[in-house]
Amino acid sequence: MGRDASSSDEDDTLIHQNDTKSDSTPQRRSHFEFDMEDFQTHVPARRFNVSFNRRCLIVIVIPLLILVLFFFTDIRSVFSSRFFTLKLGSLDDRVRESELRALYLLKQQRLGLFSMWNRTLGSLANHTSSPSAVNSSETQLSDRLFEDFKAEVLKQISLNKEIQDVLLLPHQSGNLSLETDGSDIGNPSFGGFSLDRCKKVDQRFSERRTIEWKPKSDKYLFAICLSGQMSNHLICIEKHMFFAAVLNRVLIIPSSKVDYQYNRVLDIKHINECLGRSVVMTFEEFYDKKKNHLHIDRFFCYFSLPQNCYVDDDHVKKLKGLGISMGKLESPWIEDVKKPSKRTIQDVQTKFSSNDDVIAIGDVFFADVEQELVMQPGGPLAHKCKTLIEPSRLIMITAQRFIQTFLGKDYAAFHFRRHGFLKFCNAKKPSCFYPIPQAADCISRVVEKANTPVIYLSTDAAESETSLLQSLIVVNGRVVPLVMRPARNSAEKWDALLYRHGLDGDSQVEAMLDKTICAMSTVFIGASGSTFTEDILRLRKDWGSASVCDEYLCQEEAPNFIADNE
């Protein structure tokens, strides 16, 4: 910023005049009348009093110059000369710059108000198009619209205040201070409402309903999980934990020879520490304890259709390859995996209770048992931690180091499921596969609401898609960077822990790392229908990081173009 012009370095010179009177002067003379005779009598001819003549000359000339300037010169033109323009030019430049900035802000305010107008009318039109929708969710929609309206109005008031500040800034220099009058409303609070539109969700952990998990030390439940990828299996294990608690049994985590290497992504000891007792054990621990009698006494099938236990012959062979013997698969009820019935704790106790030491239940991923209890923040089991199933400590620290290196405290996270998702989504009504320009528009709206500077992108999309997506995510005229985990670089130390423990390059470890980074974000945008997204939402809910702005990609609209089926 330019400094104010200082006062002149040249001092004004004041000339003091001493008026004298001669007592011998018989009469008053005119100020301009000279008596040469008297003058010569006082001044010798050979000496000329130079100082006296100078004073007389000044007395005569200065009044004449003042009269000439007064009658023949435009005083204002003197002060508007180039000399003064040079001194005030910096102020003019600042005023001009502020005016241009204010015009830009006014345009942004106009666009913001138009956007609010269109969104409000569009939401109301969609809502009132279906009378049944009005009756079922009128209150919920009204609350959401009112919250958005309050936030947008406060944003525009804040922008208006910024415009005022910009216009006043050039004039707040030197000793000049422009104060606002009493009519300035300042920064209204609207009863405590702020511009933080993406505040954390109050999960009301104190109201959580739970059951105790106090297993008998000699009763075991084998977890059988076969459906889908790692995220499906984690959800399956979480449900198995609930079954084990209901049946008072210790849960056996599957062996890596028939399932994933859970010990590389989960902290098994963490679960026992959270409950203060031994409630889960790895297959290796179970093998050491029961190696003389590795037998599943009863193998229950939760689902009987389309096939028993959702278990194929290959998985049965793998179990037997571990030295485990078992009886035939049995189904206590008729249950279709495509149409699961709602079940209660009493149903589970009635159908799966047994006096046998070791039982197995498979596969419970699609089971619908006490969903309201199971899906609450922190899960259905009483424990002292935020959540029971969470990433290992090494993955947690690595995620934190990545965030500190590349993202910072405030960032949005986006799970962009793409590979193999087109056919899956188009089989749903409506489809969940969006053209990239439409997806970019939806993401930009969320990011603008959250006011985050960067987006973490977790995706299996091709570079051609992510490059186009990056170019289209623009908020307030600024392209918001998409950040992805880079390839390993020895100069970067954020992933050193994984490398040191031999976990780098493991696809499941990298997937869990992505989940962890997404779960720690300010706001999260997920892929509808993806269990990867669902597991992130579970972590955010349990960790207390869930935001009111979390949503599925373009969740309130259908794709603007859908391809035909094969």
Side-chain angles (χ1 to χ4, degrees):
M1 295 178 63
R3 293 183 301 172
D4 297 330
S6 61
S7 60
S8 175
D9 292 333
E10 297 178 359
D11 293 331
D12 292 330
T13 303
L14 298 178
I15 301 177
H16 300 280
Q17 293 181 355
N18 297 320
D19 295 329
T20 59
K21 288 185 179 180
S22 175
D23 294 337
S24 59
T25 305
Q27 62 181 2
R28 173 173 294 220
R29 297 182 179 181
S30 169
H31 291 293
F32 299 99
E33 185 178 350
F34 290 90
D35 188 336
M36 292 301 296
E37 186 178 270
D38 290 343
F39 183 77
Q40 291 176 356
T41 60
H42 290 285
V43 181
R46 60 181 180 200
R47 289 181 58 190
F48 185 78
N49 193 329
V50 178
S51 176
F52 179 80
N53 287 340
R54 284 181 178 174
R55 285 199 299 268
C56 291
L57 188 61
I58 290 172
V59 169
I60 296 171
V61 171
I62 288 179
L64 289 174
L65 285 175
I66 293 174
L67 290 173
V68 171
L69 288 172
F70 181 80
F71 288 106
F72 298 98
T73 306
D74 185 355
I75 300 297
R76 288 182 301 176
S77 66
V78 174
F79 291 95
S80 62
S81 65
R82 180 174 179 82
F83 174 78
F84 288 94
T85 302
L86 287 174
K87 283 197 172 185
L88 298 177
S90 59
L91 175 60
D92 292 340
D93 291 341
R94 293 200 301 271
V95 170
R96 201 173 301 113
E97 181 179 349
S98 296
E99 289 173 345
L100 292 174
R101 174 66 179 164
L103 287 173
Y104 170 78
L105 292 174
L106 285 170
K107 180 180 179 181
Q108 294 300 111
Q109 187 180 47
R110 176 175 174 272
L111 293 175
L113 291 171
F114 267 122
S115 177
M116 178 178 66
W117 175 269
N118 291 331
R119 286 201 306 270
T120 303
L121 288 184
S123 298
L124 289 174
N126 293 335
H127 185 60
T128 55
S129 62
S130 173
S132 59
V134 174
N135 296 330
S136 63
S137 60
E138 182 176 3
T139 302
Q140 182 180 1
L141 178 63
S142 298
D143 291 344
R144 182 171 57 80
L145 288 177
F146 186 57
E147 289 298 312
D148 287 346
F149 177 79
K150 287 195 298 183
E152 193 63 38
V153 168
L154 188 56
K155 179 180 177 182
Q156 296 307 322
I157 291 175
S158 177
L159 185 59
N160 184 274
K161 183 66 168 62
E162 184 181 354
I163 295 171
Q164 294 181 51
D165 293 340
V166 167
L167 290 173
L168 290 175
L169 184 62
H171 304 285
Q172 296 174 344
S173 60
N175 295 323
L176 183 63
S177 177
L178 297 180
E179 301 290 342
T180 57
D181 58 25
S183 63
D184 189 2
I185 62 174
N187 295 315
S189 63
F190 285 91
F193 188 83
S194 67
L195 279 176
D196 184 14
R197 301 174 65 180
C198 296
K199 57 187 177 182
K200 302 300 180 187
V201 176
D202 182 4
Q203 301 292 357
R204 300 181 179 180
F205 291 104
S206 59
E207 301 176 10
R208 189 164 65 99
R209 297 184 300 110
T210 59
I211 64 173
E212 294 288 336
W213 187 1
K214 296 181 178 180
K216 298 176 181 178
S217 60
D218 58 346
K219 301 297 181 182
Y220 304 96
L221 170 63
F222 253 85
I224 305 295
C225 297
L226 299 171
S227 172
Q229 304 296 321
M230 170 67 90
S231 297
N232 295 43
H233 287 219
L234 292 177
I235 295 172
C236 175
I237 287 180
E238 186 180 24
K239 291 185 178 181
H240 265 108
M241 289 167 57
F242 179 59
F243 275 60
V246 170
L247 300 172
N248 298 318
R249 291 179 175 271
V250 175
L251 183 67
I252 309 301
I253 302 296
S255 168
S256 59
K257 294 182 179 179
V258 297
D259 207 331
Y260 292 106
Q261 289 183 278
Y262 293 104
N263 63 328
R264 294 173 71 87
V265 296
L266 300 179
D267 190 346
I268 306 299
K269 292 182 179 180
H270 165 81
I271 301 174
N272 291 326
E273 291 171 354
C274 290
L275 280 97
R277 62 182 70 93
S278 180
V279 294
V280 296
M281 66 170 56
T282 64
F283 175 79
E284 289 72 25
E285 292 172 330
F286 175 75
Y287 181 88
D288 291 339
K289 190 171 183 178
K290 304 280 288 186
K291 57 185 174 183
N292 294 327
H293 186 65
L294 290 175
H295 180 70
I296 297 177
D297 300 312
R298 298 188 69 178
F299 203 133
F300 293 102
C301 295
Y302 188 93
F303 290 100
S304 58
L305 298 173
Q307 65 187 79
N308 278 342
C309 291
Y310 211 70
V311 175
D312 54 16
D313 293 338
D314 183 59
H315 191 75
V316 173
K317 290 178 181 178
K318 288 181 179 179
L319 288 173
K320 291 181 177 180
L322 294 174
I324 300 174
S325 60
M326 67 189 74
K328 66 177 183 178
L329 306 181
E330 54 182 290
S331 299
W333 54 31
I334 297 176
E335 188 74 24
D336 191 344
V337 71
K338 295 181 179 180
K339 297 178 181 180
S341 303
K342 293 185 180 295
R343 303 292 184 175
T344 65
I345 290 177
Q346 290 72 28
D347 293 333
V348 173
Q349 290 173 332
T350 300
K351 297 297 183 180
F352 298 99
S353 291
S354 172
N355 290 325
D356 296 289
D357 291 343
V358 183
I359 68 171
I361 303 178
D363 174 327
V364 298
F365 171 74
F366 293 102
D368 186 356
V369 179
E370 301 281 5
Q371 282 293 88
E372 184 177 344
L373 184 66
V374 171
M375 296 301 293
Q376 64 184 333
L381 306 177
H383 57 83
K384 60 183 180 181
C385 301
K386 290 183 177 180
T387 187
L388 293 178
I389 297 181
E390 68 178 15
S392 69
R393 182 66 178 162
L394 290 176
I395 293 177
M396 294 275 281
I397 295 176
T398 301
Q400 292 171 357
R401 290 180 174 181
F402 180 87
I403 293 169
Q404 183 178 1
T405 303
F406 294 100
L407 302 173
K409 180 182 177 182
D410 296 320
Y411 65 96
F414 174 38
H415 174 221
F416 194 35
R417 174 72 189 276
R418 217 62 179 170
H419 180 70
F421 216 46
L422 177 58
K423 185 175 181 180
F424 168 81
C425 278
N426 281 356
K428 300 174 64 177
K429 302 297 180 184
S431 173
C432 54
F433 193 90
Y434 294 88
I436 288 180
Q438 185 179 4
D441 187 52
C442 295
I443 296 166
S444 298
R445 289 200 298 266
V446 176
V447 172
E448 180 182 16
K449 191 183 298 184
N451 193 29
T452 53
V454 294
I455 304 171
Y456 179 69
L457 179 62
S458 173
T459 186
D460 57 0
E463 184 179 356
S464 56
E465 293 181 276
T466 57
S467 296
L468 177 59
L469 182 68
Q470 171 64 95
S471 66
L472 294 175
I473 298 181
V474 180
V475 176
N476 294 327
R478 181 181 67 88
V479 176
V480 182
L482 293 177
V483 180
M484 291 183 284
R485 281 186 301 105
R488 188 174 190 283
N489 187 331
S490 59
E492 298 174 2
K493 300 303 179 184
W494 63 268
D495 59 349
L497 282 177
L498 299 184
Y499 177 77
R500 196 180 306 152
H501 290 82
L503 297 175
D504 61 308
D506 187 314
S507 60
Q508 297 308 322
V509 171
E510 291 179 349
M512 185 59 77
L513 180 59
D514 262 16
K515 284 184 183 180
T516 309
I517 296 171
C518 289
M520 292 180 175
S521 64
T522 303
V523 63
F524 173 66
I525 305 169
S528 176
S530 166
T531 52
F532 189 93
T533 282
E534 294 305 317
D535 205 33
I536 293 171
L537 293 174
R538 175 188 66 83
L539 287 173
R540 290 178 63 79
K541 179 176 60 179
D542 292 354
W543 286 348
S545 60
S547 163
V548 295
C549 294
D550 290 353
E551 63 177 52
Y552 298 112
L553 177 64
C554 302
Q555 66 179 19
E556 294 183 352
E557 56 188 89
N560 58 31
F561 185 88
I562 301 175
D564 293 336
N565 293 326
E566 296 176 90

